[in-house]
Amino acid sequence: MTARPPWTRRLTAALAVLGLLGLLAAGTAPAARAATDPRPAVSHVVVVGVPGLLWTDIGPGTTPQLWAVAQQGSIGALTVRSARSVTCVLDGWVTLGAGNRARFLVPPEPLDAQFEAPPDPEEQLGGCLPQQQDINLSEVIAKMDASPATADNNSYGARPGALGAAVSCSTAVGRGPVLALHRPGARTELVPLAPASAAGWGGVLTQCPLTVVAMPDLIESTDRARTLAALDERIGVLRTGLPPATELIIVGTSETGLNSSSLHVAIEVGDGVAPGFLTSASTGRAPFVQLIDVAPTVLSRLGIAQPAAMVGQELQPGQPRPPALADAVAELTDADLAARAQGSAGSQLFLWLVVGNVALCAAGFLLRRRGSRGPTVALRTVALVVATLPAATFLANLAPWWRAGAPGPALTALVAGWMVAISLVAGLGPWRRAPAGPAVVVLSVTLLTMTGDVLTGSRLQLSSLLGYNPIVAGRFVGFGNIPFAIYAAGALLVIGAVLHVVPPRRQGLVLLLAAVATVVVDGTPGIGSDFGGVLALVPAFTICWLVLSGRRASVGRLGLAVALGAVVVLGIAVLDYLRPADQQTHLGRFVGQVLDGSALTVVQRKAGSNINLLLHSPLTLLVPVFLLTLWWLLRRGGPLSTLLQHRELRAVVAALAVAALIGFLLNDSGVAVPAAMGWLVVPLALSVAAAYRLGDSGRHAGSDRVDVPVPPDQGVTVNSRDSAAPAD
């Protein structure tokens, strides 16, 4: 029986430090809201919705009234994402009133001769329905009242009309706002036509504490300049009729077209609203806000509690912005430009990643069997270069490629340049003499890129090829699923390389410190903010420790490791929940959803999204290819089989497998986690296998096995106690 190192018992107790430090990090995470004096209470809130309104529409000469409002108040880049991928006019109004991602659902029977419901609105292009003027609104409302379950039928748990139901009474000016305010039992006053004078507005705006106004629609406009001029004139008339102590919120409420998604206008102005950028706890990042934040903001300003069905968070005005409004608006339009350019550039990326990686794996197999020295050298080099792609896509965002006249070619050139630069550093340094040396350098650069990015505000992930897009609104800060997978793979493999050269008596301490640092960066609210990542990393590190200490990684111990991860995540989430609501991240809000009973809806939606991606994403084809390639490389007698003779390397391989499996099972885009890990791990494994073949071709001609994984004359220490250790 192999003697266990003396540090194993101490490490068992020390693993609890993971949870403790995670909790402390959660408690010290930076607040999202700027420190400001409490705003005075308001008696009225007016929300103006303008479908299709963009920041490029607003200027001091073209829309002087809107420009003046933006000058006086706080402004932001608004994502209008609803329960559909493209938010059309009716979806936008329903989402605004629900304070949650919703969609306009046609009642089960046809409404009138002009409009018949499609058999499945979700299958239509963007789920778009006819414009509101084509719908008999009274008949729609009657059918919604008769069948409220139909209106509430969505995967986000939204309750259309929740805003109108929460206030004592509300006024809808125009027909679209009725969809935002109407719910059975709610008191809603309908004003079909907007008043033409300030006096007329004064009478309308004082009827109820809340007024929602529809302004001219820019989506179908054939003369946008003329429509904007009419809109601006109406805004000016409305402003002169505002009663005292009124907060005015102006938002774009829907997309500009079926094939065009953008960030839209958000402005808040009123007593106590300092000029600046807007943000909210739902984004955690200025100047970004969401349409779902409007309803919670209205209720907060009126001193009304937010119902559980609303998941948006109140707007937080007064965030720092450039002193000149023109510079601030330029920053908002630049954010929109970057997001739209990323959406266009990344549309075919995943397909090419699948094709390229499958070709690389096939080439690796063929060259390993039949290749001579020249092709093997090419495989080692090409595979190493391919492995630099993840880091290069993020580093490319150091330059504003989206401002180029041809953003796609500019981005391609930047990514290629970074790939070449990282490859040169990896392949030309003194470490190149070790077969795994260049691979370790690529891993280190990747890990430093991902860690440095989240520690400095996740600037490289926003609107990057493998990051997240603010228009999609899945995430605005921290690690998304794909960046987490790249970070986790880089961290585990770098830790494995470090453990390989650390004296055995120090390995436990090194693993503990590395595990704590990795988990804290990933899970701390405001930094990594990654709920699922911690659930995957803690069990992965636990399994790593079990294998490293000589214990067998059984199913029972894997279950205990998963439970430990859940405890750590729960601790971080509870402390986040104890912070003020406007400072919480999604971790703390999930605790609130558990307490109010709405968490099951979130879990079901994420599970459905995971299954849908598994069945329809090209990444699903890539995962089995990666698994087969790694099995071929690591199998008994395979090109890298002797690496598993080293216990620390076996431990890291086991940890990678656990992290990939749990990441796949628990994330809403689960198949992306093992696929993204493979983009880094598999090319590097092929590169190292080719390097070993080149080093051993003279001694093992015709053999597929490497007997000495790290030749002693290449400066890397081999632990003698593990050189012939059997597999656990």
Side-chain angles (χ1 to χ4, degrees), residues 149-182:
T150 302
D152 293 344
N153 181 21
N154 65 86
S155 60
Y156 289 88
R159 297 293 180 264
L163 177 58
V167 298
S168 58
C169 77
S170 57
T171 304
V173 181
R175 304 202 298 172
V178 174
L179 295 176
L181 298 173
H182 178 76

PDB file of all heavy atoms in Angstrom, residues 149-182:
ATOM      1  N   ALA A 149     -54.227  32.773 -17.941  1.00  0.00           N
ATOM      2  CA  ALA A 149     -53.118  31.823 -17.972  1.00  0.00           C
ATOM      3  C   ALA A 149     -52.381  31.869 -19.306  1.00  0.00           C
ATOM      4  O   ALA A 149     -51.181  31.605 -19.376  1.00  0.00           O
ATOM      5  CB  ALA A 149     -53.628  30.412 -17.703  1.00  0.00           C
ATOM      6  N   THR A 150     -53.102  32.203 -20.374  1.00  0.00           N
ATOM      7  CA  THR A 150     -52.466  32.301 -21.688  1.00  0.00           C
ATOM      8  C   THR A 150     -51.464  33.443 -21.712  1.00  0.00           C
ATOM      9  O   THR A 150     -50.343  33.303 -22.191  1.00  0.00           O
ATOM     10  CB  THR A 150     -53.524  32.520 -22.781  1.00  0.00           C
ATOM     11  OG1 THR A 150     -54.447  31.429 -22.746  1.00  0.00           O
ATOM     12  CG2 THR A 150     -52.879  32.598 -24.147  1.00  0.00           C
ATOM     13  N   ALA A 151     -51.853  34.585 -21.161  1.00  0.00           N
ATOM     14  CA  ALA A 151     -50.960  35.744 -21.157  1.00  0.00           C
ATOM     15  C   ALA A 151     -49.723  35.489 -20.309  1.00  0.00           C
ATOM     16  O   ALA A 151     -48.649  36.009 -20.590  1.00  0.00           O
ATOM     17  CB  ALA A 151     -51.698  36.975 -20.642  1.00  0.00           C
ATOM     18  N   ASP A 152     -49.852  34.679 -19.249  1.00  0.00           N
ATOM     19  CA  ASP A 152     -48.730  34.423 -18.352  1.00  0.00           C
ATOM     20  C   ASP A 152     -47.861  33.254 -18.806  1.00  0.00           C
ATOM     21  O   ASP A 152     -46.910  32.887 -18.122  1.00  0.00           O
ATOM     22  CB  ASP A 152     -49.246  34.120 -16.941  1.00  0.00           C
ATOM     23  CG  ASP A 152     -49.902  35.335 -16.289  1.00  0.00           C
ATOM     24  OD1 ASP A 152     -49.675  36.449 -16.795  1.00  0.00           O
ATOM     25  OD2 ASP A 152     -50.624  35.156 -15.302  1.00  0.00           O
ATOM     26  N   ASN A 153     -48.182  32.665 -19.938  1.00  0.00           N
ATOM     27  CA  ASN A 153     -47.501  31.453 -20.368  1.00  0.00           C
ATOM     28  C   ASN A 153     -46.139  31.792 -20.959  1.00  0.00           C
ATOM     29  O   ASN A 153     -46.003  32.049 -22.142  1.00  0.00           O
ATOM     30  CB  ASN A 153     -48.365  30.715 -21.403  1.00  0.00           C
ATOM     31  CG  ASN A 153     -47.705  29.435 -21.869  1.00  0.00           C
ATOM     32  OD1 ASN A 153     -46.843  28.893 -21.193  1.00  0.00           O
ATOM     33  ND2 ASN A 153     -48.112  28.967 -23.039  1.00  0.00           N
ATOM     34  N   ASN A 154     -45.111  31.787 -20.138  1.00  0.00           N
ATOM     35  CA  ASN A 154     -43.753  31.997 -20.623  1.00  0.00           C
ATOM     36  C   ASN A 154     -42.767  31.402 -19.626  1.00  0.00           C
ATOM     37  O   ASN A 154     -43.093  31.188 -18.463  1.00  0.00           O
ATOM     38  CB  ASN A 154     -43.453  33.483 -20.852  1.00  0.00           C
ATOM     39  CG  ASN A 154     -43.486  34.269 -19.564  1.00  0.00           C
ATOM     40  OD1 ASN A 154     -42.486  34.334 -18.857  1.00  0.00           O
ATOM     41  ND2 ASN A 154     -44.629  34.872 -19.233  1.00  0.00           N
ATOM     42  N   SER A 155     -41.547  31.169 -20.088  1.00  0.00           N
ATOM     43  CA  SER A 155     -40.561  30.452 -19.282  1.00  0.00           C
ATOM     44  C   SER A 155     -39.860  31.329 -18.257  1.00  0.00           C
ATOM     45  O   SER A 155     -39.053  30.828 -17.476  1.00  0.00           O
ATOM     46  CB  SER A 155     -39.511  29.823 -20.207  1.00  0.00           C
ATOM     47  OG  SER A 155     -38.852  30.827 -20.968  1.00  0.00           O
ATOM     48  N   TYR A 156     -40.130  32.629 -18.243  1.00  0.00           N
ATOM     49  CA  TYR A 156     -39.461  33.523 -17.298  1.00  0.00           C
ATOM     50  C   TYR A 156     -40.305  33.822 -16.058  1.00  0.00           C
ATOM     51  O   TYR A 156     -39.865  34.553 -15.175  1.00  0.00           O
ATOM     52  CB  TYR A 156     -39.089  34.841 -17.987  1.00  0.00           C
ATOM     53  CG  TYR A 156     -37.970  34.696 -18.984  1.00  0.00           C
ATOM     54  CD1 TYR A 156     -38.238  34.366 -20.309  1.00  0.00           C
ATOM     55  CD2 TYR A 156     -36.644  34.865 -18.607  1.00  0.00           C
ATOM     56  CE1 TYR A 156     -37.212  34.213 -21.230  1.00  0.00           C
ATOM     57  CE2 TYR A 156     -35.618  34.722 -19.518  1.00  0.00           C
ATOM     58  CZ  TYR A 156     -35.904  34.396 -20.828  1.00  0.00           C
ATOM     59  OH  TYR A 156     -34.881  34.244 -21.734  1.00  0.00           O
ATOM     60  N   GLY A 157     -41.511  33.301 -15.999  1.00  0.00           N
ATOM     61  CA  GLY A 157     -42.369  33.577 -14.852  1.00  0.00           C
ATOM     62  C   GLY A 157     -42.906  34.988 -14.831  1.00  0.00           C
ATOM     63  O   GLY A 157     -43.283  35.499 -13.768  1.00  0.00           O
ATOM     64  N   ALA A 158     -42.972  35.650 -15.989  1.00  0.00           N
ATOM     65  CA  ALA A 158     -43.447  37.037 -16.056  1.00  0.00           C
ATOM     66  C   ALA A 158     -44.956  37.102 -15.882  1.00  0.00           C
ATOM     67  O   ALA A 158     -45.682  36.172 -16.216  1.00  0.00           O
ATOM     68  CB  ALA A 158     -43.044  37.663 -17.387  1.00  0.00           C
ATOM     69  N   ARG A 159     -45.423  38.233 -15.345  1.00  0.00           N
ATOM     70  CA  ARG A 159     -46.852  38.498 -15.195  1.00  0.00           C
ATOM     71  C   ARG A 159     -47.164  39.793 -15.938  1.00  0.00           C
ATOM     72  O   ARG A 159     -46.977  40.886 -15.395  1.00  0.00           O
ATOM     73  CB  ARG A 159     -47.228  38.624 -13.715  1.00  0.00           C
ATOM     74  CG  ARG A 159     -47.008  37.365 -12.899  1.00  0.00           C
ATOM     75  CD  ARG A 159     -47.972  36.266 -13.335  1.00  0.00           C
ATOM     76  NE  ARG A 159     -47.792  35.042 -12.562  1.00  0.00           N
ATOM     77  CZ  ARG A 159     -47.052  34.014 -12.954  1.00  0.00           C
ATOM     78  NH1 ARG A 159     -46.391  34.080 -14.104  1.00  0.00           N
ATOM     79  NH2 ARG A 159     -46.962  32.930 -12.209  1.00  0.00           N
ATOM     80  N   PRO A 160     -47.583  39.702 -17.198  1.00  0.00           N
ATOM     81  CA  PRO A 160     -47.915  40.925 -17.954  1.00  0.00           C
ATOM     82  C   PRO A 160     -48.922  41.782 -17.203  1.00  0.00           C
ATOM     83  O   PRO A 160     -49.887  41.278 -16.626  1.00  0.00           O
ATOM     84  CB  PRO A 160     -48.504  40.368 -19.258  1.00  0.00           C
ATOM     85  CG  PRO A 160     -47.848  39.039 -19.424  1.00  0.00           C
ATOM     86  CD  PRO A 160     -47.712  38.494 -18.036  1.00  0.00           C
ATOM     87  N   GLY A 161     -48.676  43.096 -17.215  1.00  0.00           N
ATOM     88  CA  GLY A 161     -49.555  44.018 -16.510  1.00  0.00           C
ATOM     89  C   GLY A 161     -49.275  44.134 -15.036  1.00  0.00           C
ATOM     90  O   GLY A 161     -50.023  44.808 -14.316  1.00  0.00           O
ATOM     91  N   ALA A 162     -48.194  43.529 -14.548  1.00  0.00           N
ATOM     92  CA  ALA A 162     -47.887  43.588 -13.115  1.00  0.00           C
ATOM     93  C   ALA A 162     -47.669  45.024 -12.653  1.00  0.00           C
ATOM     94  O   ALA A 162     -47.969  45.363 -11.506  1.00  0.00           O
ATOM     95  CB  ALA A 162     -46.658  42.740 -12.801  1.00  0.00           C
ATOM     96  N   LEU A 163     -47.153  45.878 -13.518  1.00  0.00           N
ATOM     97  CA  LEU A 163     -46.930  47.273 -13.147  1.00  0.00           C
ATOM     98  C   LEU A 163     -48.253  47.968 -12.866  1.00  0.00           C
ATOM     99  O   LEU A 163     -48.408  48.652 -11.849  1.00  0.00           O
ATOM    100  CB  LEU A 163     -46.175  47.993 -14.270  1.00  0.00           C
ATOM    101  CG  LEU A 163     -45.919  49.488 -14.077  1.00  0.00           C
ATOM    102  CD1 LEU A 163     -45.129  49.748 -12.796  1.00  0.00           C
ATOM    103  CD2 LEU A 163     -45.187  50.068 -15.288  1.00  0.00           C
ATOM    104  N   GLY A 164     -49.216  47.811 -13.761  1.00  0.00           N
ATOM    105  CA  GLY A 164     -50.520  48.430 -13.546  1.00  0.00           C
ATOM    106  C   GLY A 164     -51.226  47.888 -12.324  1.00  0.00           C
ATOM    107  O   GLY A 164     -51.932  48.623 -11.620  1.00  0.00           O
ATOM    108  N   ALA A 165     -51.038  46.599 -12.043  1.00  0.00           N
ATOM    109  CA  ALA A 165     -51.689  45.995 -10.881  1.00  0.00           C
ATOM    110  C   ALA A 165     -51.077  46.452  -9.571  1.00  0.00           C
ATOM    111  O   ALA A 165     -51.742  46.417  -8.530  1.00  0.00           O
ATOM    112  CB  ALA A 165     -51.612  44.473 -10.990  1.00  0.00           C
ATOM    113  N   ALA A 166     -49.825  46.898  -9.598  1.00  0.00           N
ATOM    114  CA  ALA A 166     -49.136  47.259  -8.360  1.00  0.00           C
ATOM    115  C   ALA A 166     -49.448  48.674  -7.894  1.00  0.00           C
ATOM    116  O   ALA A 166     -49.284  48.989  -6.710  1.00  0.00           O
ATOM    117  CB  ALA A 166     -47.622  47.104  -8.543  1.00  0.00           C
ATOM    118  N   VAL A 167     -49.899  49.562  -8.784  1.00  0.00           N
ATOM    119  CA  VAL A 167     -50.176  50.944  -8.414  1.00  0.00           C
ATOM    120  C   VAL A 167     -51.668  51.130  -8.183  1.00  0.00           C
ATOM    121  O   VAL A 167     -52.493  50.316  -8.614  1.00  0.00           O
ATOM    122  CB  VAL A 167     -49.678  51.921  -9.498  1.00  0.00           C
ATOM    123  CG1 VAL A 167     -48.167  51.814  -9.661  1.00  0.00           C
ATOM    124  CG2 VAL A 167     -50.363  51.650 -10.830  1.00  0.00           C
ATOM    125  N   SER A 168     -52.024  52.204  -7.506  1.00  0.00           N
ATOM    126  CA  SER A 168     -53.440  52.447  -7.202  1.00  0.00           C
ATOM    127  C   SER A 168     -54.240  52.692  -8.472  1.00  0.00           C
ATOM    128  O   SER A 168     -55.379  52.242  -8.603  1.00  0.00           O
ATOM    129  CB  SER A 168     -53.576  53.639  -6.254  1.00  0.00           C
ATOM    130  OG  SER A 168     -52.985  54.806  -6.837  1.00  0.00           O
ATOM    131  N   CYS A 169     -53.657  53.417  -9.411  1.00  0.00           N
ATOM    132  CA  CYS A 169     -54.258  53.581 -10.734  1.00  0.00           C
ATOM    133  C   CYS A 169     -53.181  54.065 -11.685  1.00  0.00           C
ATOM    134  O   CYS A 169     -52.146  54.586 -11.258  1.00  0.00           O
ATOM    135  CB  CYS A 169     -55.438  54.551 -10.703  1.00  0.00           C
ATOM    136  SG  CYS A 169     -54.992  56.294 -10.637  1.00  0.00           S
ATOM    137  N   SER A 170     -53.402  53.869 -12.967  1.00  0.00           N
ATOM    138  CA  SER A 170     -52.433  54.271 -13.976  1.00  0.00           C
ATOM    139  C   SER A 170     -53.174  54.762 -15.203  1.00  0.00           C
ATOM    140  O   SER A 170     -54.333  54.402 -15.445  1.00  0.00           O
ATOM    141  CB  SER A 170     -51.512  53.107 -14.346  1.00  0.00           C
ATOM    142  OG  SER A 170     -52.263  51.999 -14.805  1.00  0.00           O
ATOM    143  N   THR A 171     -52.477  55.577 -15.985  1.00  0.00           N
ATOM    144  CA  THR A 171     -53.049  56.136 -17.209  1.00  0.00           C
ATOM    145  C   THR A 171     -52.234  55.671 -18.400  1.00  0.00           C
ATOM    146  O   THR A 171     -50.999  55.778 -18.394  1.00  0.00           O
ATOM    147  CB  THR A 171     -53.059  57.670 -17.163  1.00  0.00           C
ATOM    148  OG1 THR A 171     -53.771  58.103 -16.002  1.00  0.00           O
ATOM    149  CG2 THR A 171     -53.710  58.249 -18.411  1.00  0.00           C
ATOM    150  N   ALA A 172     -52.912  55.147 -19.412  1.00  0.00           N
ATOM    151  CA  ALA A 172     -52.260  54.714 -20.645  1.00  0.00           C
ATOM    152  C   ALA A 172     -52.614  55.699 -21.747  1.00  0.00           C
ATOM    153  O   ALA A 172     -53.783  55.856 -22.100  1.00  0.00           O
ATOM    154  CB  ALA A 172     -52.717  53.314 -21.024  1.00  0.00           C
ATOM    155  N   VAL A 173     -51.612  56.386 -22.271  1.00  0.00           N
ATOM    156  CA  VAL A 173     -51.815  57.317 -23.368  1.00  0.00           C
ATOM    157  C   VAL A 173     -51.382  56.612 -24.648  1.00  0.00           C
ATOM    158  O   VAL A 173     -50.195  56.428 -24.902  1.00  0.00           O
ATOM    159  CB  VAL A 173     -51.026  58.618 -23.162  1.00  0.00           C
ATOM    160  CG1 VAL A 173     -51.282  59.577 -24.329  1.00  0.00           C
ATOM    161  CG2 VAL A 173     -51.392  59.267 -21.842  1.00  0.00           C
ATOM    162  N   GLY A 174     -52.349  56.213 -25.436  1.00  0.00           N
ATOM    163  CA  GLY A 174     -52.077  55.394 -26.606  1.00  0.00           C
ATOM    164  C   GLY A 174     -52.426  53.946 -26.318  1.00  0.00           C
ATOM    165  O   GLY A 174     -52.671  53.552 -25.176  1.00  0.00           O
ATOM    166  N   ARG A 175     -52.442  53.151 -27.373  1.00  0.00           N
ATOM    167  CA  ARG A 175     -52.932  51.794 -27.203  1.00  0.00           C
ATOM    168  C   ARG A 175     -51.847  50.820 -26.741  1.00  0.00           C
ATOM    169  O   ARG A 175     -52.132  49.877 -26.012  1.00  0.00           O
ATOM    170  CB  ARG A 175     -53.540  51.320 -28.519  1.00  0.00           C
ATOM    171  CG  ARG A 175     -54.639  52.272 -28.988  1.00  0.00           C
ATOM    172  CD  ARG A 175     -55.601  51.615 -29.927  1.00  0.00           C
ATOM    173  NE  ARG A 175     -54.965  51.152 -31.163  1.00  0.00           N
ATOM    174  CZ  ARG A 175     -55.609  50.412 -32.062  1.00  0.00           C
ATOM    175  NH1 ARG A 175     -56.844  50.046 -31.852  1.00  0.00           N
ATOM    176  NH2 ARG A 175     -55.008  50.045 -33.180  1.00  0.00           N
ATOM    177  N   GLY A 176     -50.610  51.032 -27.153  1.00  0.00           N
ATOM    178  CA  GLY A 176     -49.549  50.144 -26.706  1.00  0.00           C
ATOM    179  C   GLY A 176     -49.393  50.097 -25.198  1.00  0.00           C
ATOM    180  O   GLY A 176     -49.247  49.010 -24.614  1.00  0.00           O
ATOM    181  N   PRO A 177     -49.388  51.245 -24.500  1.00  0.00           N
ATOM    182  CA  PRO A 177     -49.236  51.215 -23.046  1.00  0.00           C
ATOM    183  C   PRO A 177     -50.304  50.413 -22.312  1.00  0.00           C
ATOM    184  O   PRO A 177     -50.078  49.990 -21.171  1.00  0.00           O
ATOM    185  CB  PRO A 177     -49.303  52.707 -22.673  1.00  0.00           C
ATOM    186  CG  PRO A 177     -48.777  53.409 -23.876  1.00  0.00           C
ATOM    187  CD  PRO A 177     -49.291  52.619 -25.037  1.00  0.00           C
ATOM    188  N   VAL A 178     -51.460  50.208 -22.931  1.00  0.00           N
ATOM    189  CA  VAL A 178     -52.483  49.392 -22.264  1.00  0.00           C
ATOM    190  C   VAL A 178     -51.945  47.993 -22.019  1.00  0.00           C
ATOM    191  O   VAL A 178     -52.206  47.381 -20.975  1.00  0.00           O
ATOM    192  CB  VAL A 178     -53.768  49.345 -23.112  1.00  0.00           C
ATOM    193  CG1 VAL A 178     -54.785  48.386 -22.500  1.00  0.00           C
ATOM    194  CG2 VAL A 178     -54.370  50.734 -23.234  1.00  0.00           C
ATOM    195  N   LEU A 179     -51.167  47.462 -22.962  1.00  0.00           N
ATOM    196  CA  LEU A 179     -50.588  46.129 -22.781  1.00  0.00           C
ATOM    197  C   LEU A 179     -49.568  46.115 -21.647  1.00  0.00           C
ATOM    198  O   LEU A 179     -49.339  45.078 -21.027  1.00  0.00           O
ATOM    199  CB  LEU A 179     -49.920  45.663 -24.075  1.00  0.00           C
ATOM    200  CG  LEU A 179     -50.853  45.439 -25.265  1.00  0.00           C
ATOM    201  CD1 LEU A 179     -50.053  45.076 -26.509  1.00  0.00           C
ATOM    202  CD2 LEU A 179     -51.866  44.357 -24.945  1.00  0.00           C
ATOM    203  N   ALA A 180     -48.951  47.263 -21.387  1.00  0.00           N
ATOM    204  CA  ALA A 180     -47.995  47.339 -20.288  1.00  0.00           C
ATOM    205  C   ALA A 180     -48.682  47.433 -18.933  1.00  0.00           C
ATOM    206  O   ALA A 180     -48.107  47.041 -17.913  1.00  0.00           O
ATOM    207  CB  ALA A 180     -47.067  48.547 -20.486  1.00  0.00           C
ATOM    208  N   LEU A 181     -49.908  47.946 -18.905  1.00  0.00           N
ATOM    209  CA  LEU A 181     -50.559  48.256 -17.633  1.00  0.00           C
ATOM    210  C   LEU A 181     -51.739  47.365 -17.299  1.00  0.00           C
ATOM    211  O   LEU A 181     -52.094  47.220 -16.119  1.00  0.00           O
ATOM    212  CB  LEU A 181     -51.039  49.717 -17.651  1.00  0.00           C
ATOM    213  CG  LEU A 181     -49.943  50.772 -17.793  1.00  0.00           C
ATOM    214  CD1 LEU A 181     -50.562  52.151 -17.971  1.00  0.00           C
ATOM    215  CD2 LEU A 181     -49.016  50.764 -16.586  1.00  0.00           C
ATOM    216  N   HIS A 182     -52.369  46.783 -18.296  1.00  0.00           N
ATOM    217  CA  HIS A 182     -53.619  46.078 -18.019  1.00  0.00           C
ATOM    218  C   HIS A 182     -53.386  44.695 -17.412  1.00  0.00           C
ATOM    219  O   HIS A 182     -52.587  43.905 -17.894  1.00  0.00           O
ATOM    220  CB  HIS A 182     -54.456  45.918 -19.277  1.00  0.00           C
ATOM    221  CG  HIS A 182     -55.728  45.157 -19.008  1.00  0.00           C
ATOM    222  ND1 HIS A 182     -56.802  45.737 -18.372  1.00  0.00           N
ATOM    223  CD2 HIS A 182     -56.074  43.866 -19.250  1.00  0.00           C
ATOM    224  CE1 HIS A 182     -57.765  44.835 -18.242  1.00  0.00           C
ATOM    225  NE2 HIS A 182     -57.348  43.694 -18.771  1.00  0.00           N
TER     226      HIS A 182
END
